[in-house]
Amino acid sequence: MSTVSLDQHCLTLSGDITLNNVTGLLSQVKKTLVKQTITHVSLKAVEYCDSSALALLIEIQRLSETPLCFEHLPAKLANVAKLSELDNKVLTLQT
């Protein structure tokens, strides 16, 4: 099961992020962003993700009113972001 949780100003994504569930996760994120401003997004509890996770992160950044720091990306996802030249241009990645 994939979830979105909020601890202070950090949004944490957990479980799997795939094409099959990314729309549901985005809905959860939108509900969370209405309630509170976030500064960080953590993927430390993500067990598996495909490339739809990158689209989710871009959309989270687009919806946010402030620049976000994305933490604990799985290595393969971080590599795709870097190869796509999204790191530190569209997404601020912290390893």
Side-chain angles (χ1 to χ4, degrees), residues 1-93:
M1 178 178 191
S2 301
T3 61
V4 174
S5 60
L6 185 63
D7 182 24
Q8 295 181 358
H9 296 286
C10 183
L11 183 77
T12 299
L13 304 173
S14 62
D16 295 346
I17 304 173
T18 66
L19 188 57
N20 293 330
N21 69 356
V22 72
T23 303
L25 286 171
L26 181 57
S27 294
Q28 291 180 49
V29 167
K30 286 179 179 180
K31 289 176 186 175
T32 302
L33 290 177
V34 169
K35 296 176 185 175
Q36 185 173 345
T37 302
I38 61 170
T39 57
H40 290 75
V41 177
S42 174
L43 280 78
K44 67 182 174 186
V46 170
E47 297 170 15
Y48 172 82
C49 66
D50 61 22
S51 60
S52 66
L54 192 54
L56 177 63
L57 299 184
I58 293 168
E59 186 64 11
I60 292 170
Q61 180 57 74
R62 190 187 72 75
L63 292 169
S64 176
E65 296 179 6
T66 59
L68 301 174
C69 181
F70 294 86
E71 305 172 328
H72 309 289
L73 271 71
K76 289 181 181 180
L77 186 63
N79 287 337
V80 171
K82 289 175 185 175
L83 287 171
S84 302
E85 297 183 357
L86 295 173
D87 62 320
N88 300 320
K89 292 180 184 176
V90 177
L91 302 173
T92 302
L93 307 180

